[in-house]
Amino acid sequence: MNHLSGLDATFLHMESPETPMHIGGLSILELPPEYEGDFMADVRNHILNRMHLAPIFQRKLVHMPFDLANPIWVMDEDLDIDYHIRHVIVPPPATRATVDKLVARLHSSLLDRSRPLWEMYVLDGLPVPKDLPEGTRYVGLYSKMHHAALDGMGGQVLMEAVMDVSAKPRKVKKPLRRRAGEHSDNYGIAELTASGVLHNLGQTIKLARNLPTLTRKATEILRPTKAPQDTSKEKMHWFAPKTPLNVTITNQRSFARFSIPLQESKEIAKLNGVSLNDVAMAISAEGINRYLDDEGFHAEEPLLAAIPVSLRPEGNTELSNQVSMARMNLATTIKDPLERLHAINDSARHVKHLMSDMQAVLPTDFPSLGAPWFMSGLASVMTRARIYNAMPPFANVLISNVPGPNITLYFAGAKQVSTYPVSIPYHGMGLNITLQSYDGWLDFGLIACQKLMPDIHELARHMEEAHRDLLQLSQERYNKA
């Protein structure tokens, strides 16, 4: 049986109507003037021909008897492709803002757990840049897939399965036929119960072996560390400072996106001797600072970012979650942008040192007996009691940087112009900033609770300005030197 790992199932148990736990993306696709086909039909056939390359398309959940342990994955023998791939017309007049509002609304709804945990929406009627040939069409492809089925790097593996490097789709091998008499996925109560107990026994033994090391590592990650360039007199804290974004959220979302040239970010990184990820963190930190200033809020302590850290071994192509979480100091109390950038670099190197051996000791699977009841119940109680409004936040914002291909890709014959991540805000962390590199650009996707950030496009504007200011300041300072 294909059991959900403890980490995969955690995303399932933490889900509630207010916090859908799917990740997604908005791809902007270009169809040339000479295209006269039915793109919706092309997308449908494209996925049908490739779904055997990625298990997420065909597998669904089967729950253990009485939800005693985590569910298992089975193949859906009655997949309804027309349910999973849908056609939506963007309400006219179509603008960037109306497209973003539509994506936010689509991202707000839960996936149907009785089916494979994914949906795609072909968005027609997108605005087209005026400098393109007459008759060119822009089509949006918004997709969402449950985080229980894949992480950010798993999404890159999935992308490799469905994308092509030319407008002519490559030929793929046909799926293997199931042999006569081969075991089906129809399990009885006794089989499910026995398998669940044996699986949990094995995971308990593994966890017991690594528990001392895990406890030590968890303490190191959570322990308050002195912020870069701080004096020894400054007080250090276990938690992040409370901001208006760190409270209980609703199920409604706001979404904004923007792109910046990858070469410009690389230039900032090179001039300052830092990494590209440090630059993205600095842009986010300055943008959040300016946004909160507009709201009349100023944090006396440095904001902290929760950052996913991949535990995926090199060459691993599984779609399951293989990720941990660490915290990075955004040094937002440092006024000079370049000094802040170097402080972020110091914090990043400290995090990298802490997480260097986590791959060897941190399990992605662990015992789950009673977990569906306990974790789902705990998540529900904390939401209904609005405990997140009172408790100090683990971090202020989640920021994730997903490396992508630096070439042009095609989907169902259409050229992909850009691809914006659409991720997960959660209670106590109502803003998620995810970026992905693609074909010479950094594409940023900002998703938040609409009640907390109805004007999230203002944050996007501040971040774009922060990038331009950081580039100009870097050029002026280091060209003089």
Side-chain angles (χ1 to χ4, degrees):
M1 292 186 190
N2 187 4
H3 293 264
L4 260 75
S5 71
L7 182 57
D8 291 344
T10 297
F11 292 105
L12 204 65
H13 305 325
M14 290 173 64
E15 185 171 65
S16 70
E18 295 80 18
T19 56
M21 296 300 288
H22 48 252
I23 55 178
L26 171 65
S27 291
I28 306 300
L29 306 174
E30 180 183 309
L31 293 170
E34 61 270 19
Y35 177 80
E36 296 180 352
D38 182 347
F39 189 65
M40 179 65 182
D42 290 348
V43 170
R44 183 180 184 277
N45 293 332
H46 187 80
I47 295 299
L48 278 173
N49 292 333
R50 307 252 178 132
M51 60 171 44
H52 62 285
L53 301 179
I56 188 174
F57 286 123
Q58 294 176 282
R59 65 184 186 181
K60 65 179 182 179
L61 296 172
V62 168
H63 293 271
M64 287 287 170
F66 310 107
D67 274 340
L68 290 176
N70 292 333
I72 62 171
W73 292 114
V74 300
M75 297 297 290
D76 187 352
E77 303 294 345
D78 301 306
L79 180 73
D80 181 2
I81 192 68
D82 293 321
Y83 173 87
H84 291 275
I85 302 178
R86 309 177 188 183
H87 188 213
V88 178
I89 304 295
V90 179
T95 64
R96 189 183 187 91
T98 57
V99 173
D100 291 351
K101 286 181 180 179
L102 175 59
V103 169
R105 180 170 61 82
L106 295 174
H107 203 66
S108 300
S109 58
L110 295 167
L111 289 165
D112 184 349
R113 292 196 186 183
S114 68
R115 304 173 185 265
L117 298 176
W118 65 277
E119 292 174 5
M120 285 185 177
Y121 295 79
V122 176
L123 310 181
D124 246 324
L126 269 64
V128 180
K130 295 180 180 179
D131 58 344
L132 293 180
E134 185 177 352
T136 302
R137 284 176 57 195
Y138 265 20
V139 179
L141 182 72
Y142 163 72
S143 59
K144 60 180 177 181
M145 301 183 178
H146 205 286
H147 212 330
L150 80 171
D151 59 12
M153 293 305 297
Q156 295 301 301
V157 175
L158 174 64
M159 182 179 68
E160 292 178 7
V162 300
M163 304 299 285
D164 296 296
V165 296
S166 69
K168 184 178 180 180
R170 71 185 188 277
K171 292 184 179 180
V172 299
K173 292 182 179 180
K174 294 183 179 180
L176 297 175
R177 292 185 179 181
R178 175 170 287 186
R179 297 175 183 176
E182 188 175 346
H183 191 281
S184 70
D185 286 333
N186 295 319
Y187 299 104
I189 292 178
E191 285 181 284
L192 289 170
T193 303
S195 179
V197 171
L198 289 174
H199 178 77
N200 277 274
L201 180 61
Q203 297 308 320
T204 301
I205 295 172
K206 291 180 183 179
L207 182 62
R209 290 173 180 169
N210 290 329
L211 191 58
T213 306
L214 285 172
T215 303
R216 175 177 57 83
K217 274 293 178 183
T219 304
E220 289 178 358
I221 293 171
L222 292 173
R223 179 185 292 128
T225 57
K226 189 179 296 184
Q229 302 183 17
D230 280 352
T231 66
S232 59
K233 296 180 180 179
E234 185 165 349
K235 186 179 180 181
M236 297 179 289
H237 302 272
W238 282 86
F239 298 99
K242 195 78 169 180
T243 79
L245 305 178
N246 305 126
V247 293
T248 303
I249 66 174
T250 71
N251 72 322
Q252 297 304 306
R253 300 288 176 260
S254 55
F255 173 68
R257 55 192 160 102
F258 68 94
S259 300
I260 59 178
L262 178 60
Q263 188 56 44
E264 292 183 359
S265 295
K266 286 183 175 180
E267 182 179 353
I268 296 172
K270 183 177 180 180
L271 288 172
N272 289 277
V274 299
S275 72
L276 186 64
N277 189 66
D278 296 333
V279 175
M281 291 289 171
I283 292 169
S284 301
E286 179 63 20
I288 295 171
N289 249 1
R290 296 180 183 184
Y291 178 86
L292 291 177
D293 282 345
D294 290 346
E295 298 295 311
F297 178 86
H298 177 73
E300 298 297 331
E301 305 163 25
L303 301 183
L304 301 182
I307 55 170
V309 179
S310 178
L311 303 177
R312 187 177 298 271
E314 187 175 352
N316 184 288
T317 58
E318 297 177 8
L319 297 187
S320 59
N321 286 277
Q322 300 181 54
V323 66
S324 181
M325 192 71 70
R327 295 190 300 181
M328 180 179 292
N329 194 314
L330 294 179
T332 47
T333 53
I334 299 176
K335 293 185 178 181
D336 183 272
L338 295 186
E339 289 183 19
R340 182 189 302 128
L341 177 59
H342 287 285
I344 288 173
N345 175 254
D346 290 341
S347 179
R349 285 190 284 109
H350 175 69
V351 170
K352 187 175 181 180
H353 172 72
L354 283 179
M355 304 298 292
S356 59
D357 60 348
M358 287 299 285
Q359 182 176 312
V361 299
L362 186 66
T364 56
D365 201 1
F366 36 82
S368 63
L369 286 177
W373 287 2
F374 175 75
M375 295 182 69
S376 299
L378 181 64
S380 177
V381 168
M382 293 188 71
T383 300
R384 293 178 182 276
R386 306 180 72 83
I387 293 175
Y388 294 96
N389 291 354
M391 65 185 295
F394 167 77
N396 300 106
V397 57
L398 193 147
I399 305 177
S400 180
N401 183 358
V402 181
N406 198 28
I407 58 173
T408 303
L409 296 178
Y410 297 80
F411 177 82
K415 175 184 175 182
Q416 182 172 259
V417 178
S418 51
T419 174
Y420 301 98
V422 190
S423 197
I424 304 172
Y426 200 76
H427 297 303
M429 223 178 325
L431 169 65
N432 182 304
I433 299 174
T434 304
L435 62 141
Q436 177 174 320
S437 55
Y438 171 69
D439 198 18
W441 293 86
L442 287 179
D443 294 332
F444 285 75
L446 318 181
I447 186 82
C449 170
Q450 186 182 44
K451 182 178 180 180
L452 302 182
M453 298 187 72
D455 54 350
I456 194 172
H457 60 278
E458 288 297 311
L459 174 60
R461 180 177 63 82
H462 283 312
M463 290 176 64
E464 285 187 275
E465 291 174 353
H467 162 74
R468 290 193 294 268
D469 293 346
L470 193 59
L471 176 63
Q472 182 179 353
L473 188 58
S474 297
Q475 290 171 337
E476 291 175 351
R477 183 168 301 184
Y478 291 103
N479 285 340
K480 288 180 181 180

